[in-house]
Amino acid sequence: MIENEIKQLEKVYDILTEYLVTYSFQLVAALFILLIGLWAAKKLSKVVFNVLAKNNVDVTLNNFISNVVKVLLIITFVIVALGKIGISVTPFVAAIGAASLGAGLALQGMLSNYGAGLAIIATRPFVVGDTIFVNGVFGQVSAIELGVTILTNEDRVEITIPNKHIMGEIIHNSFAYSLVEGAIGIAYHEDPEHAITIIKQTLKALPSLSSTQESQIGINEFADSSIVIGYRYWVATEKLIATKMEANLAVFNALKHAKITIPFPQREITIKQG
């Protein structure tokens, strides 16, 4: 029993010795090729990154492309190194192909997210800092990753959207600002032009409003009990709710200070004697 095991060990030793004698120089060459490959992949990846950065390519896409170049170059040198020591790479290629097919089927949803992420980064329908409304979700873009896009609303709630649910959908992009609409009613005996002037001056004094987009103020409708003055303005998305409340209070106080009547709903009742 022990003699058989010794013979097997001797046989393995002989095979290894013969292999090392035959391929000793090839092993050194393969190791040298692998080291050169790692160095070249790192250098080329850095060059690609710098070139894309100079051309203002998105950082996420830049990282992805440079990493793909690095991985492909390393795989190429590994295949060359394996061939140098007499190992056929054909079975490995077949195995990798079969494994890639299985992984592709299993990770179909994830891969579609990555594909959509690349399309978003390449076409740039929005960038970080823009305010978008898509698929019933509204918020400011805080991050664009390969798999997901992250939105943040004023309540500091992070909304994570898989990228495949963004591409192909209708996207509303108001960039860094959001449109706010408000309305207030004044009595019919008041001068609407005077009220519009007061509201315009009041909104202009608010610091959070956009300085590039003019506010819109005018008669919105003629209601039963009042003339409704509507006002629309653009505000930084991260201050949306706070500015809306501040603007409503400022408009109310300004009209009250100007002694413009803000009526409540009224009904005139006529009593006829029998």
Side-chain angles (χ1 to χ4, degrees), residues 103-124:
L105 293 174
L107 304 174
Q108 188 174 3
M110 185 182 296
L111 293 175
S112 62
N113 283 329
Y114 286 162
L118 286 173
I120 290 172
I121 293 168
T123 59
R124 291 193 174 192

Side-chain angles (χ1 to χ4, degrees), residues 41-67 69:
K42 185 177 180 180
K43 288 293 182 182
L44 184 59
S45 174
K46 192 174 181 180
V47 169
V48 171
F49 184 91
N50 291 333
V51 170
L52 294 176
K54 286 181 180 179
N55 288 277
N56 298 320
V57 176
D58 188 90
V59 175
T60 307
L61 183 60
N62 195 344
N63 286 327
F64 177 78
I65 293 175
S66 58
N67 285 332
V69 170

Side-chain angles (χ1 to χ4, degrees), residues 248-268:
N248 288 340
L249 180 60
V251 168
F252 175 81
N253 287 334
L255 294 179
K256 187 178 179 181
H257 185 264
K259 300 188 183 304
I260 295 177
T261 305
I262 303 173
F264 52 85
Q266 303 174 47
R267 292 288 185 272
E268 290 187 3

Side-chain angles (χ1 to χ4, degrees), residues 26-246:
Q26 286 85 340
L27 284 172
V28 173
L31 183 60
F32 181 74
I33 290 171
L34 193 57
L35 292 174
I36 291 293
L38 293 174
W39 177 83
K42 185 177 180 180
K43 288 293 182 182
L44 184 59
S45 174
K46 192 174 181 180
V47 169
V48 171
F49 184 91
N50 291 333
V51 170
L52 294 176
K54 286 181 180 179
N55 288 277
N56 298 320
V57 176
D58 188 90
V59 175
T60 307
L61 183 60
N62 195 344
N63 286 327
F64 177 78
I65 293 175
S66 58
N67 285 332
V68 167
V69 170
K70 184 177 180 180
V71 170
L72 289 177
L73 199 57
I74 289 174
I75 291 174
T76 302
F77 275 92
V78 167
I79 292 173
V80 172
L82 289 175
K84 197 69 178 175
I85 58 177
I87 298 177
S88 176
V89 296
T90 304
F92 289 102
V93 172
I96 290 172
S100 299
L101 178 61
L105 293 174
L107 304 174
Q108 188 174 3
M110 185 182 296
L111 293 175
S112 62
N113 283 329
Y114 286 162
L118 286 173
I120 290 172
I121 293 168
T123 59
R124 291 193 174 192
F126 53 84
V127 296
V128 173
D130 285 354
T131 301
I132 65 171
F133 178 83
V134 60
N135 247 333
V137 179
F138 170 83
Q140 191 168 33
V141 180
S142 59
I144 302 172
E145 300 176 1
L146 281 177
V148 298
T149 295
I150 301 174
L151 309 183
T152 306
N153 59 23
E154 193 179 6
D155 297 327
R156 295 301 168 205
V157 175
E158 283 194 351
I159 306 167
T160 302
I161 311 175
N163 286 330
K164 67 179 180 180
H165 295 303
I166 296 178
M167 287 307 297
E169 298 293 335
I170 297 173
I171 302 173
H172 300 258
N173 187 353
S174 59
F175 302 97
Y177 291 90
S178 296
L179 177 65
V180 179
E181 298 186 11
I184 191 168
I186 63 172
Y188 272 96
H189 65 267
E190 299 289 354
D191 181 7
E193 290 185 352
H194 181 46
I196 289 171
T197 301
I198 292 173
I199 295 173
K200 186 176 292 186
Q201 293 173 347
T202 302
L203 293 179
K204 191 173 289 186
L206 297 176
S208 300
L209 269 63
S210 171
S211 58
T212 58
Q213 293 169 297
E214 201 68 32
S215 300
Q216 298 174 328
I217 304 101
I219 296 176
N220 196 50
E221 66 171 310
F222 298 98
D224 294 337
S225 305
S226 63
I227 301 174
V228 180
I229 307 296
Y231 48 93
R232 307 166 81 239
Y233 54 90
W234 294 87
V235 61
T237 302
E238 65 268 17
K239 299 179 181 178
L240 176 63
I241 304 300
T243 304
K244 180 179 180 179
M245 293 178 176
E246 181 185 2

